[in-house]
Amino acid sequence: MIFKTIRSTLTVFNSLAIAGLCAAVLAFSIFTHEDLYREAVTGDLDGLSNNLSVDLFAVLAEEGDDLDTVAIRTLLLRLGEYENVKFAVVFDRDFNQIDTYRGPTLQVEGELEIVVDTEQLNQIPLGMSNKNGELFAYKIVGDEELPFGYLLIVNDLEKPLTGSKMHLLTRVLPLTFIIIGIGIALSLWLNSRMLLPLQKLARLAHQIKETNDYSIDINVEGKKEVVDLSNEIGSMMDTIHEEEIKNKRYTQQLMQQRKDMERLANFDSLTGLPNRQFFMETLRKSLSTAEREGDNLVLMYFDLDGFKGVNDTYGHEVGDKLLIEASKRTQRFLRHGDLIARLGGDEFLILLYNDPNDFVVTDISERIIKEISKPFDINDWEILISASIGIARAKDAQFNLSDFVSNADVAMYKSKVEGKNTHTIFVPEMMEDNKRKLLLANKIIPGLKDGEFSLYYQPKVNPYEEIVGFEALLRWNSPEFGFVSPVEFISIAEQSGKINEITYWVLESVLRDSATLIEHFGSKLSISLNLSVHDLRNPKLFEDIVRLYKELDIDARCIEYEVTESTYLENFDMANEFFGKIKDLGSFIALDDFGTGYSSLSYLTQIELHTLKIDKQFVDNLGVSKRSTLVTKTIIEMAKQLNLNICAEGVETREQTDFLIANGCHQLQGYLFGKPAPLKAILNTFTKR
């Protein structure tokens, strides 16, 4: 009786013990699985948000008033591959929402507005966090010290985690019930000989719990029931071990993806060089170290002259290969430890350590310039470009990161102004010039509105010295800066993106003045105005011309558009298309500064011109240089054979006039016949026809 009671007690106890053991192993497996799942999802979302914030940086960092919302929306649509993302929001640097993304769980009928105010954002820490079953990725777009915006991604953690645990339970739970059933059956046959194997199983279970090693071989000898129980537990451990291996493999994949994303975040995908973000962070640390140790650093800022023309002429594939080859050539001349990075487009930065002297810096710069100027053989094309380099020292910028880069940029611009294909070392005086340029750039639009700009007209005469046309010339008289030369403010307007506003103002003013000029000088008068390369690239300009012609009732035959020879040929296809439309309207095209930059004349057979203008440098040398005189004669004769109207600029003497008329020049323009003057002065000075 006592034996039966003990046996019954042992049976119940053993059954409960087995059930408890299985439950403990199952619970521990679930907890382990949950932890691994959380880590995997967090790591995956962290890498995804880092990669997305880097891509958003390229959009938010672009200059201009209008953001490319299409590009931002395209980037956010990548989240469509992640079914557990609830929503994402992109903010600008002032925490204003730019765009949002709604995940599948929020896609309901009708519009659902996602609004995250500043108070809610302040409750979310930067980086990765989770709360109330949601995982938050809150990242800065750009540098922490100079953010361009912020990215918030909210991921549903609880629902997929529950599903994952249920998936694990559906696989393990049936096996657990089987083991418990076997344990209860075996407990009926428990005796003193069976208690020892069970104790071994208990010790093994404890060992598994302590070591988290589910690969331990469970092989306990005993009766058949004990052996079966041992095998079933071993089978369950194998299942758990397989799941653990899968999770580890998945974690390793996520870690590798994270490494790949970090590389994409820090290195340029085209050239393999460090990108702007990585370089700027390295530069910041290097400046701090150099300032602390009393050392100096040298920064070289350079870009490729004529690169845009390569892209426009040969296509972006050739342009990309050109950038790769140019970066390889540049690296040959850097010292061990120096750092080169691609800033973006065709711009590169080089950081020279150990305070190199002027001789070393000059030697490196000249080697790079010489190597870049050699022909590039790309896709069977021989490409010729050059490099303009700006050089700055950290001490001149007081080790300030922004000033350091700005100084190098200013010096590089100086190299371009001085003819490109050269290098310039920054000196503080350059910053004053740069400040003046910035001030002038900011005054252009207000100056147009406040009447600071005006048009001067210079007459053109025929061989009988009768006025047959005028060229409109822009002048700027600023209350703050006084008279500003067109040579200065036109280039500043082009660089600051304000040339289109100036061109429109000139176009409208000339067309309004044309009625008065034509009334005074006759209906056959021709009025010309100048266009720049930026105007040729402005798709809206032709629409403005058509609209103004119609609004002001302009006779298109009285308007002539002048463009320099170099501008036309550097943008040949674009210029041909634009001036083809102008010709269809009835207006005329004049090629200015002819003969000053190109030796091949074959292009004259491919474009339809009305007027060829002989540059002043040829006119100045008439009768002085036999070679210039011969060239001028040749140009006039060639133009006559091509049936072109010929206009000579810069005529200042009677000798020049007599020579040009004798050789068949149709129009003359210069101080001899009249200096540029305002419209009112023109009307008062010259006799009405």
Side-chain angles (χ1 to χ4, degrees):
M1 186 67 180
I2 296 175
F3 177 76
K4 289 182 178 180
T5 302
I6 295 174
R7 186 172 62 180
S8 299
T9 302
L10 289 174
T11 299
V12 174
F13 177 79
N14 288 336
S15 299
L16 292 175
I18 293 172
L21 175 64
C22 293
V25 173
L26 182 60
F28 183 74
S29 301
I30 292 174
F31 293 149
T32 301
H33 175 78
E34 182 176 338
D35 290 339
L36 290 173
Y37 183 86
R38 288 179 185 275
E39 291 177 4
V41 172
T42 301
D44 191 18
L45 186 60
D46 187 32
L48 171 64
S49 60
N50 283 336
N51 189 33
L52 193 55
S53 66
V54 170
D55 291 340
L56 283 169
F57 171 80
V59 180
L60 296 182
E62 289 181 355
E63 296 183 1
D65 295 330
D66 296 328
L67 286 174
D68 191 352
T69 56
V70 174
I72 295 175
R73 175 58 57 86
T74 301
L75 292 174
L76 289 179
L77 287 177
R78 295 181 185 174
L79 297 174
E81 299 177 8
Y82 302 87
E83 62 182 12
N84 295 323
V85 171
K86 298 181 73 175
F87 67 90
V89 184
V90 178
F91 303 88
D92 63 18
R93 66 181 67 186
D94 297 321
F95 301 98
N96 298 313
Q97 288 188 194
I98 299 175
D99 203 356
T100 61
Y101 166 80
R102 304 173 183 85
T105 58
L106 296 182
Q107 292 177 358
V108 297
E109 293 184 0
E111 293 292 331
L112 179 61
E113 185 177 4
I114 298 175
V115 180
V116 180
D117 57 31
T118 306
E119 183 178 351
Q120 291 174 316
L121 278 178
N122 290 336
Q123 297 176 0
I124 303 173
L126 285 172
M128 304 300 299
S129 60
N130 64 79
K131 183 179 180 183
N132 298 331
E134 292 180 329
L135 184 60
F136 297 86
Y138 185 27
K139 299 300 178 72
I140 296 175
V141 178
D143 189 76
E144 184 175 352
E145 297 179 1
L146 184 61
F148 285 90
Y150 300 85
L151 171 65
L152 174 65
I153 302 177
V154 179
N155 193 79
D156 187 358
L157 184 61
E158 196 62 32
K159 183 177 178 180
L161 177 59
T162 302
S164 180
K165 289 191 290 186
M166 291 301 297
H167 177 70
L168 178 64
L169 284 173
T170 55
R171 296 193 61 182
V172 177
L173 200 57
L175 186 59
T176 303
F177 286 142
I178 293 173
I179 295 173
I180 293 174
I182 294 174
I184 293 173
L186 289 175
S187 65
L188 299 174
W189 301 94
L190 282 174
N191 52 43
S192 57
R193 287 179 298 176
M194 295 179 62
L195 294 177
L196 182 60
L198 293 177
Q199 290 176 356
K200 292 182 178 180
L201 287 174
R203 286 196 296 269
L204 284 171
H206 179 73
Q207 182 181 356
I208 292 171
K209 182 178 179 180
E210 291 294 326
T211 62
N212 290 329
D213 184 5
Y214 297 97
S215 64
I216 296 176
D217 187 19
I218 300 177
N219 186 17
V220 179
E221 296 181 355
K223 291 189 176 181
K224 183 178 181 302
E225 292 81 357
V226 175
V227 173
D228 289 343
L229 177 62
S230 172
N231 292 336
E232 293 298 335
I233 293 176
S235 177
M236 183 176 70
M237 293 300 103
D238 290 341
T239 301
I240 295 174
H241 182 57
E242 290 175 2
E243 291 296 322
E244 183 182 35
I245 292 175
K246 290 180 181 178
N247 286 334
K248 287 182 178 179
R249 187 181 300 116
Y250 182 56
T251 301
Q252 290 174 350
Q253 291 175 352
L254 290 177
M255 293 298 293
Q256 183 60 44
Q257 290 175 2
R258 182 177 180 179
K259 291 180 181 178
D260 294 340
M261 290 177 182
E262 287 177 351
R263 177 165 184 83
L264 289 174
N266 293 321
F267 291 86
D268 176 47
S269 59
L270 178 64
T271 62
L273 298 176
N275 61 16
R276 179 191 183 98
Q277 178 178 324
F278 180 84
F279 185 87
M280 290 302 178
E281 180 62 22
T282 303
L283 182 57
R284 182 183 64 80
K285 294 177 180 178
S286 299
L287 283 171
S288 178
T289 301
E291 183 178 19
R292 185 172 59 253
E293 297 179 356
D295 201 357
N296 202 359
L297 301 173
V298 171
L299 183 65
M300 300 174 64
Y301 192 131
F302 78 94
D303 76 354
L304 305 179
D305 306 321
F307 176 75
K308 187 182 186 307
V310 173
N311 266 345
D312 293 342
T313 304
Y314 303 101
H316 289 279
E317 180 185 356
V318 172
D320 288 345
K321 291 182 179 180
L322 178 61
L323 288 174
I324 295 171
E325 291 302 316
S327 67
K328 289 179 180 178
R329 289 189 183 185
T330 303
Q331 292 177 73
R332 299 173 190 167
F333 305 106
L334 301 184
R335 305 167 305 166
H336 179 71
D338 292 339
L339 179 64
I340 179 174
R342 183 186 176 200
L343 187 62
D346 62 331
E347 296 179 321
F348 296 84
L349 287 173
I350 299 175
L351 181 59
L352 304 179
Y353 289 94
N354 301 324
D355 192 12
N357 57 40
D358 288 346
F359 175 79
V360 173
V361 173
T362 300
D363 182 63
I364 293 175
S365 300
E366 291 178 349
R367 286 172 179 265
I368 292 174
I369 289 171
K370 182 178 180 181
E371 188 69 17
I372 294 297
S373 63
K374 294 179 180 178
F376 288 83
D377 186 10
I378 299 176
N379 290 0
D380 296 329
W381 294 101
E382 185 179 88
I383 310 296
L384 290 174
I385 59 171
S386 60
S388 295
I389 301 178
I391 303 165
R393 293 189 179 275
K395 288 184 178 179
D396 292 334
Q398 304 300 317
F399 295 92
N400 179 276
L401 174 63
S402 179
D403 292 343
F404 193 23
V405 177
S406 178
N407 290 350
D409 187 19
V410 169
M412 187 270 289
Y413 174 76
K414 184 73 172 177
S415 295
K416 285 189 172 294
V417 171
E418 293 183 352
K420 306 178 181 179
N421 198 32
T422 187
H423 70 277
T424 303
I425 298 177
F426 174 84
V427 292
E429 289 76 12
M430 292 180 186
M431 191 53 68
E432 293 301 320
D433 293 339
N434 191 56
K435 288 180 180 178
R436 174 179 169 84
K437 290 182 176 67
L438 291 175
L439 291 172
L440 287 174
N442 291 331
K443 291 291 184 180
I444 288 175
I445 300 303
L448 288 172
K449 294 179 180 178
D450 296 340
E452 297 175 11
F453 286 84
S454 60
L455 285 178
Y456 279 47
Y457 293 92
Q458 185 173 28
K460 302 177 185 178
V461 301
N462 62 16
Y464 304 102
E465 297 189 16
E466 299 171 339
I467 292 179
V468 293
F470 287 93
E471 179 180 359
L473 301 169
L474 185 61
R475 298 292 183 262
W476 183 12
N477 192 4
S478 168
E480 182 177 352
F481 299 99
F483 176 76
V484 185
S485 168
V487 175
E488 181 179 16
F489 73 76
I490 290 297
S491 63
I492 292 174
E494 291 176 341
Q495 293 158 17
S496 61
K498 298 173 182 177
I499 190 64
N500 292 336
E501 286 82 356
I502 288 181
T503 299
Y504 182 81
W505 186 91
V506 170
L507 173 65
E508 185 178 23
S509 300
V510 168
L511 295 183
R512 291 188 184 278
D513 290 346
S514 64
T516 303
L517 289 168
I518 291 172
E519 180 182 358
H520 193 85
F521 293 98
S523 60
K524 294 184 179 181
L525 188 74
S526 173
I527 306 168
S528 63
L529 62 148
N530 294 279
L531 298 180
S532 73
V533 62
H534 297 273
D535 297 322
L536 300 182
R537 297 170 183 165
N538 179 13
K540 190 173 177 294
L541 178 59
F542 182 74
E543 298 175 7
D544 291 335
I545 291 173
V546 173
R547 178 175 53 80
L548 288 172
Y549 276 14
K550 185 176 181 181
E551 288 180 2
L552 302 176
D553 192 22
I554 300 297
D555 184 354
R557 295 171 297 177
C558 296
I559 306 298
E560 184 176 63
Y561 296 90
E562 293 189 15
V563 63
T564 63
E565 180 187 26
S566 58
T567 296
Y568 201 124
L569 297 185
E570 287 175 3
N571 305 271
F572 191 80
D573 294 335
M574 188 182 302
N576 260 356
E577 180 181 358
F578 178 81
F579 286 121
K581 296 178 181 178
I582 293 296
K583 183 171 181 282
D584 292 339
L585 283 179
S587 294
F588 300 105
I589 301 98
L591 195 64
D592 200 4
D593 297 342
F594 179 77
T596 59
Y598 287 82
S599 58
S600 174
L601 301 178
S602 61
Y603 69 88
L604 289 176
T605 64
Q606 303 175 47
I607 59 180
E608 296 187 24
L609 297 173
H610 177 259
T611 301
L612 196 67
K613 299 190 73 174
I614 301 174
D615 190 73
K616 184 179 185 299
Q617 74 178 43
F618 294 109
V619 176
D620 288 342
N621 289 313
L622 289 177
V624 177
S625 168
K626 291 184 179 180
R627 179 170 296 180
S628 293
T629 302
L630 180 60
V631 169
T632 304
K633 283 184 178 180
T634 304
I635 292 175
I636 295 174
E637 185 61 33
M638 177 193 64
K640 287 193 296 185
Q641 293 299 322
L642 293 173
N643 200 26
L644 296 177
N645 184 51
I646 309 163
C647 178
E649 295 182 299
V651 181
E652 298 179 354
T653 67
R654 281 295 169 186
E655 291 76 10
Q656 295 170 348
T657 303
D658 295 340
F659 175 88
L660 292 167
I661 293 175
N663 283 276
C665 196
H666 303 111
Q667 293 180 1
L668 306 173
Q669 178 181 352
Y671 283 3
L672 182 63
F673 310 106
K675 295 181 179 181
L679 177 62
K680 186 176 180 180
I682 291 291
L683 299 177
N684 292 333
T685 302
F686 296 97
T687 305
K688 184 175 182 180
R689 186 180 298 179

